[in-house]
Amino acid sequence: MISRGTFQPLQSVLTVACEQTEVLLFDPISSKHIKTLSEAHEDCVNNIRFLDNRLFATCSDDTTIALWDLRKLNTKVCTLHGHTSWVKNIEYDTNTRLLVTSGFDGNVIIWDTNRCTEDGCPHKKFFHTRFLMRMRLTPDCSKMLISTSSGYLLILHDLDLNKTLEVGSYPILRARRTASSSDITSSSLSSPRAVGSPCHQNDSSPVSEKQMSRSSQREGGSPRNSLEVLTPEVPGERDRGNCITSLQLHPKGWATLLRCSSNTDDQEWTCVYEFQEGAPVRPVSPRCSLRLTHCIEEANVGRGYIKELCFSPDGRMISSPHGFGIRLLGFDAHCSELVDCLPKEAGPLKEIRSLYSHNDVVLTTKFSPTHCQIASGCLSGRVSLYQPKF
C-alpha cells in the first residue's frame, strides 16, 4: 500500500512511502524505479519530507523518524526517538531548520537539526492534544494547523516554535464553529459535540473548558502561539460530526484544504477554507479565522482509508483521489486564482480533468514542484505518473 509520496525540490527524485517498511525512489522524468530502501523502518512508512535538495526525513508506525542523504542511501544519517505511538506527519521550518513531527500519541515534537549527530537531534515536546490526525505549517511558518479525528481544527497563531507550550498555558483566543458568510459576525461559542467518529468512539473537545477559563488575552493584540479551536462547516454535516482525515495548505498561505468523512463513514467531502486575516475588533471577541469557499462531494470509495490530496504549486488546482483515479479540481472552469473567484456563499469546486490508470483505490497524489506532472499511489502499491495536457 502506498501511503504518501513527495518530489525532491529539483524534480530529480520522487520518493514514495510504503506500508511494507519500504521507501521507493523513482526518476520522475523517465518514470523508472531507481532504488528501494527495503528496511527503511521496522513498520509502515507514513510520510516523507525533503529538508533541502539532498536531505529528507521519513516517519513510521515504529514511532521513529529517520534522516537520509540522497548521496549515501545505504545507511541513515540518524534515527530520532521521542514519540510513543505512530508518527504521521513531518514539517520543516527552513528559516530555523527546526523539524516538526506529530503522531497518534497526540504530541507535536520539535527537533533541532542544527545540532544533529549520529545519535539524533535535541528535541522537545511543543504541543499535545487528543485525537490528533494531521499537522501542517503555513508556508511562512506563522501558523500551525492541527486536525483531529473528532472534527476539530486547531490553529496556533503567531507561531513561535522556540517557545514550549505547557498544557493550559496557551491563550485561547477563539473557540467556535466556522460560519457561513451570513452568520460570520455571530459571536456564539460552539460547544463540544458528541460525534462517535469512526476513528474513535469517545469524542470530546481537544481543549477542556477548564483550560479555556485559564486563558488570558493581551490587551491590544494576540499573544504568540494563541490557540483557536474550530469545528469547520462541512456540507451535509451540519447536525453530524466528521473526521478530518487530510489537511493541506495553499502554497501562498491563502487557504486550507480538508478531506472530511462523516461519522457514519457514508459521505466524504473535499473543502477549501479561506483564511480570514486580521485581529478581532475586541481582543476577547471570538472571530472565525476560516470561511468555507468551495467544496465537492467525493466518491467515498475505499471507506476507512485516508486519502491524501494536494494543491498544485501555483495553488490554482487541487488533485484529489477519486475511486481508482484522481480528479483535478479548480475554483472555476478556467483554473483561476482563488482570490479572483471568491464566492459570497460557498460554491462547488469545478472538475477540470479525471485521470484513471489504477486497478485499486487511490490513496495519495502529489504535484511535481517544477513540471506539469502528477504522481498517484494506490492501495495495491502501484505508482502512476501523469503529464496531463490542457
Side-chain angles (χ1 to χ4, degrees):
M1 182 177 76
I2 302 298
S3 56
R4 204 78 65 90
T6 190
F7 286 89
Q8 186 250 15
L10 295 180
Q11 174 71 10
S12 61
V13 177
L14 168 66
T15 54
V16 178
C18 299
E19 184 181 33
Q20 298 88 3
T21 77
E22 296 178 339
V23 172
L24 307 178
L25 286 84
F26 292 85
D27 178 347
I29 304 300
S30 66
S31 302
K32 291 183 179 179
H33 173 220
I34 54 178
K35 191 172 181 63
T36 297
L37 306 180
S38 57
E39 295 182 358
H41 285 272
E42 295 178 2
D43 208 332
C44 302
V45 185
N46 296 317
N47 205 344
I48 302 174
R49 177 79 182 210
F50 274 91
L51 313 189
D52 54 32
N53 292 330
R54 59 182 180 82
L55 289 174
F56 66 95
T58 58
C59 65
S60 168
D61 285 355
D62 67 8
T63 76
T64 71
I65 302 99
L67 297 184
W68 304 84
D69 190 326
L70 282 175
R71 300 169 301 180
K72 191 179 179 181
L73 288 171
N74 59 326
T75 184
K76 301 173 186 176
V77 173
C78 65
T79 301
L80 309 181
H81 299 270
H83 285 281
T84 58
S85 186
W86 301 348
V87 188
K88 294 296 185 180
N89 292 106
I90 307 172
E91 292 287 279
Y92 185 64
D93 184 346
T94 55
N95 296 319
T96 62
R97 294 189 64 194
L98 295 176
L99 193 70
V100 188
T101 61
S102 68
F104 280 1
D105 55 5
N107 291 326
V108 177
I109 295 179
I110 308 294
W111 310 83
D112 187 357
T113 60
N114 297 289
R115 296 187 287 162
C116 192
T117 69
E118 292 182 357
D119 298 324
C121 301
H123 67 279
K124 65 179 180 180
K125 186 165 73 173
F126 177 73
F127 187 80
H128 176 85
T129 186
R130 291 175 290 177
F131 316 131
L132 189 155
M133 283 288 290
R134 293 290 183 261
M135 175 273 303
R136 293 285 184 268
L137 299 180
T138 53
D140 63 359
C141 295
S142 65
K143 298 180 182 68
M144 177 184 290
L145 280 74
I146 297 171
S147 67
T148 73
S149 59
S150 52
Y152 288 92
L153 186 67
L154 283 60
I155 307 177
L156 284 164
H157 293 270
D158 198 12
L159 188 65
D160 183 358
L161 294 175
N162 292 305
K163 180 181 178 182
T164 301
L165 299 178
E166 300 297 335
V167 174
S169 70
Y170 37 81
I172 301 178
L173 294 183
R174 323 162 187 92
R176 58 166 295 171
R177 185 180 180 91
T178 59
S180 63
S181 58
S182 60
D183 64 1
I184 196 72
T185 58
S186 169
S187 61
S188 60
L189 297 180
S190 66
S191 58
R193 302 168 293 135
V195 174
S197 161
C199 300
H200 63 84
Q201 297 299 319
N202 185 20
D203 175 52
S204 60
S205 171
V207 182
S208 70
E209 292 180 6
K210 183 180 291 186
Q211 291 176 19
M212 288 185 182
S213 66
R214 288 190 211 148
S215 65
S216 61
Q217 298 284 344
R218 185 178 69 190
E219 194 66 34
S222 302
R224 302 299 298 271
N225 294 331
S226 54
L227 177 66
E228 180 176 12
V229 183
L230 303 170
T231 49
E233 176 188 356
V234 178
E237 292 296 313
R238 298 180 187 278
D239 300 316
R240 296 188 295 164
N242 63 85
C243 175
I244 303 174
T245 57
S246 182
L247 168 65
Q248 299 292 338
L249 275 299
H250 189 280
K252 297 179 182 177
W254 293 343
T256 184
L257 175 66
L258 303 182
R259 185 78 169 246
C260 305
S261 60
S262 65
N263 62 337
T264 53
D265 218 18
D266 61 346
Q267 282 185 311
E268 200 169 26
W269 291 84
T270 290
C271 301
V272 178
Y273 301 84
E274 175 201 15
F275 280 111
Q276 305 282 302
E277 296 297 347
V281 176
R282 300 187 308 277
V284 294
S285 64
R287 183 189 60 77
C288 177
S289 282
L290 296 177
R291 181 177 75 92
L292 178 64
T293 62
H294 298 82
C295 57
I296 193 168
E297 189 167 5
E298 296 289 358
N300 200 27
V301 177
R303 294 184 183 184
Y305 288 100
I306 294 174
K307 290 95 175 180
E308 298 287 354
L309 65 178
C310 67
F311 279 108
S312 62
D314 61 5
R316 292 171 180 260
M317 284 196 298
I318 295 164
S319 182
S320 178
H322 189 258
F324 288 10
I326 59 174
R327 285 196 298 186
L328 301 183
L329 307 170
F331 305 115
D332 65 9
H334 307 290
C335 296
S336 300
E337 292 273 17
L338 173 62
V339 294
D340 295 329
C341 48
L342 287 173
K344 292 182 178 180
E345 300 286 344
L349 288 164
K350 306 297 183 182
E351 184 172 335
I352 307 299
R353 178 76 64 84
S354 295
L355 303 169
Y356 296 97
S357 65
H358 292 274
N359 57 5
D360 211 335
V361 179
V362 173
L363 302 181
T364 186
T365 177
K366 194 72 174 178
F367 279 95
S368 161
T370 57
H371 291 69
C372 183
Q373 190 174 48
I374 310 166
S376 63
C378 72
L379 185 60
S380 62
R382 184 170 179 263
V383 176
S384 289
L385 288 163
Y386 311 92
Q387 290 182 310
K389 296 180 180 180
F390 301 98

